[in-house]
Amino acid sequence: MLKTTANRIVRWKWVDDILIHDGFYYEVDKTEWSGIDWKKVEKTVFKLQNRIYRASESGDMFAVRRLQKMLIKSWSARLIAVRRVTQDNQGKKTAGVDGIKVCTPQQRLALVGRLKLGTKSKPTRRVWIDKPGTKEKRPLGIPTIEERAKQALVKLALEPEWECRKEPNSYGFRPGRSTRDAIQAIYNSIRYKSKFVLDADISKCFDCIDHKALLRKLNTYPSLTRQIRAWLNSGVMDKGIFDETSQGTPQGGVISPLLANVALHGMEERVKQHAETLRMFTPNGTQMSRSTKRDSVSLIRYADDFVILHSDLSVVKRCQEIISDWLKEIGLELKPSKTRLTHTLNSLENEKPGFDFLGFHIRQYKAGKYSSGKDTYGNLIGFKTLIRPSCKSIKAHVKRMAEVIERHKASPQEAVIKLLNPIIIGWCNYFKTVSSKEIFSGLDNYLYKKLRAWGRRRHPNKNAHEVASKYWGKSRKQGLLGGNNWAFSNKNGLELKRHGDVTVNTDYVKVKGKASPFDGNYIYGPQRLGKHPEIPIRVATLLKIQKGVCPHCGHSFRDGDKMEVDHIIPRAIGGKDEYKNLQLLHRHCHQKKTANDLKEIRKRNLTKTMNKLAQKWEKWEWKWVDDVPVILGSKSDGGTHNKSLVSEEPCEVKVSCTVLKTSGTRESLA
């Protein structure tokens, strides 16, 4: 290597005894975590990821492996891996079996220096969590901080390769994709034609994946294969008891979702291959083309949940058999209790029409000419497709709100409002892209009855009118149609959010089939991020104002980045809570700016304190005696002693307060 500038290094290599230029890289300050130029680091890593994506797209696997090795060994990638695990991740303070946490900048830099792929791995710490909607427990495996950083590093290298190869209708655990994209894909498949549905779920997907089959699918270079095998076979520690892991990927690991997606890769293609063999004809009697046959069958998958859609029941049944045989090759099987055949419009073998998927209920209803949907030519199709929150989701939401109210019977109104608001906003944001207006109104009615009972229990000696006037009143937030005259609020202006106040917008646009954050399109990703239904209005507005760029580091926001709202001028020193004083930052950028803001706040507070002390000292005549300020008397008394301050009249009175450090000039403190 030959150094050219202060931080720019030329990389060279020997080819047939000839020195060949191999590009540039930038030397990062390895001494101070706060001195790292994260914009440069992010740019370096993203360029390598984009090259991996392009090489995988062209089928040049030799270049893919070479670039992956370069990325894993690079200092910049290791920095980002450590930052994501120790700063950006919500579980950054959760330790593994070794009990070690990495919280200080020195510890982070030391961890960066230690990151290196190996053949051994420490076992994961088993934690049991509640499974939503059931009494079952879900096992989580918590790796150590160092293993998590290694997994994040490997994920940086593997994800671009597999994002290029992933199937277009796979939406779970992928950057830039969400549950709404999966739901919209289903809607696009059935909006003009009713179809039979196979609604299926894979039994214990994460726990039963065959390790050998998974490693064969990965087909990566040997050292990386050995490291992944070490993670898969690391075992778990549950209450001090060690258990071996001969199958499955540990839930809770950074790389586990990616490995699960790799294991399930190929399901959609297998179904499409079967569709090519079908004898299908157009209305004119001619045989359909191969591409039309492939498009007639839809497999939409989100993690381990998937649906298969087709207009012929026999085709759907045959696809079920094919998928069952295909899953056996990787050690998996369908869960009978969560697998059912149904139809989107009509009943099928005592099965009601419609199906649930990802918390949504999807069904078609027969309709007349005034409410029927239309095809692309404007012809009536005789039904309409509606997607609503499922009954199971509604019951779970109602139960959660009821539990909060029951647990806080004696709590003040303010506490109840603060606990209910995040629950209401989160649930409504998830379902506001489908036909949920009537359900939102019904939930508001239910919540009012629960809160009315809560208020009457607190005041048994008051009538209903007195209770209502105490806890309900006119909203201070005026909208286009006026304010709410019946808002559950207190005197300080804190108000309970209503489900009905959330605007329902069904014009959600599905992500493009092959779109990826690594394809080099810097505009598409930030634009979709700003329109995501679950992003708060303030965050979406700031994304639009900043054009998707973090003003602190200058790097574009991407899906998966932790974003936080920051006050440009801190409120502690006079900043206002308004858009011209707000900016959207990465979490790590926000932490860095907050540290600088605290220094400025402490400096200003110290200046204020010193000014107040100086004003007080100006009222007295004093001099230095042995580096101690000594009061001679009050200036208002002409320099004489204030007898109210001392019991006797000595010629000098030494100050009993804390001695102030000043310059050696011994001038006035002012």
Side-chain angles (χ1 to χ4, degrees), residues 338-565:
K338 292 187 177 181
T339 301
R340 60 191 288 262
L341 282 167
T342 185
H343 193 262
T344 57
L345 180 61
N346 304 313
S347 300
L348 177 65
E349 298 177 358
N350 298 324
E351 288 282 351
K352 294 182 179 180
F355 62 99
D356 294 346
F357 191 67
L358 302 177
F360 298 86
H361 182 69
I362 304 158
R363 183 181 171 182
Q364 293 171 334
Y365 298 85
K366 294 180 181 180
K369 86 174 168 177
Y370 296 107
S371 57
S372 170
K374 297 180 180 180
D375 59 13
T376 54
Y377 300 100
N379 302 319
L380 299 177
I381 56 180
F383 64 85
K384 59 179 180 180
T385 303
L386 291 180
I387 302 176
R388 298 173 175 174
S390 66
C391 292
K392 189 176 180 181
S393 301
I394 297 171
K395 289 179 181 179
H397 181 56
V398 166
K399 183 180 179 182
R400 191 178 178 188
M401 292 190 298
E403 287 176 351
V404 171
I405 296 172
E406 289 294 323
R407 283 199 310 265
H408 297 84
K409 291 180 178 179
S411 300
Q413 184 186 19
E414 182 180 359
V416 177
I417 294 175
K418 287 183 177 180
L419 288 169
L420 286 175
N421 274 348
I423 298 172
I424 295 171
I425 294 172
W427 196 85
C428 290
N429 285 342
Y430 186 79
F431 291 104
K432 71 178 183 181
T433 57
V434 297
S435 305
S436 315
K437 191 174 181 179
E438 293 182 4
I439 294 173
F440 285 175
S441 179
L443 288 171
D444 284 332
N445 185 37
Y446 167 80
L447 190 58
Y448 165 71
K449 292 178 179 179
K450 292 292 292 183
L451 291 173
R452 183 181 64 183
W454 173 86
R456 297 186 70 173
R457 182 189 178 278
R458 292 170 64 89
H459 305 282
N461 297 327
K462 294 183 178 180
N463 57 39
H465 179 75
E466 292 175 331
V467 173
S469 61
K470 180 176 178 63
Y471 294 110
W472 279 269
K474 189 174 182 178
S475 174
R476 298 186 180 184
K477 300 177 182 178
Q478 301 292 322
L480 296 175
L481 302 177
N484 178 22
N485 293 326
W486 202 247
F488 189 74
S489 58
N490 62 3
K491 296 179 180 180
N492 298 326
L494 185 63
E495 183 179 326
L496 181 69
K497 302 292 183 181
R498 296 200 311 168
H499 298 78
D501 292 338
V502 178
T503 304
V504 177
N505 185 9
T506 58
D507 296 332
Y508 183 82
V509 180
K510 187 180 78 70
V511 66
K512 294 179 182 178
K514 288 289 186 179
S516 172
F518 309 107
D519 59 5
N521 192 338
Y522 298 95
I523 300 174
Y524 184 71
Q527 282 183 345
R528 283 189 54 81
L529 190 62
K531 298 177 182 178
H532 196 279
E534 292 190 46
I535 286 187
I537 296 175
R538 175 179 282 191
V539 175
T541 305
L542 291 174
L543 270 173
K544 187 177 181 180
I545 294 172
Q546 299 171 191
K547 297 181 179 179
V549 177
C550 175
H552 190 270
C553 65
H555 197 74
S556 299
F557 291 105
R558 292 190 292 173
D559 186 75
D561 290 348
K562 305 299 181 182
M563 301 176 293
E564 295 180 349
V565 178

Side-chain angles (χ1 to χ4, degrees), residues 55 92 140 157 188 203 213 231 287 314 317 407 453 471 487 519 526 610:
K92 57 190 175 184
L140 287 184
N188 293 340
S203 178
W231 289 330
Q287 191 170 358
S314 61
K317 288 182 177 180
R407 283 199 310 265
Y471 294 110
D519 59 5
M610 294 300 293

Side-chain angles (χ1 to χ4, degrees), residues 279-317:
R279 291 182 58 83
M280 301 177 66
F281 299 91
T282 64
N284 298 329
T286 59
Q287 191 170 358
M288 289 184 178
S289 64
R290 182 176 295 180
S291 61
T292 306
K293 290 178 182 179
R294 289 176 62 91
D295 294 339
S296 66
V297 178
S298 300
L299 189 148
I300 297 154
R301 181 176 65 86
Y302 189 92
D304 58 344
D305 295 332
F306 67 93
V307 293
I308 298 176
L309 304 164
H310 197 268
S311 56
D312 191 346
L313 179 60
S314 61
V315 174
V316 175
K317 288 182 177 180

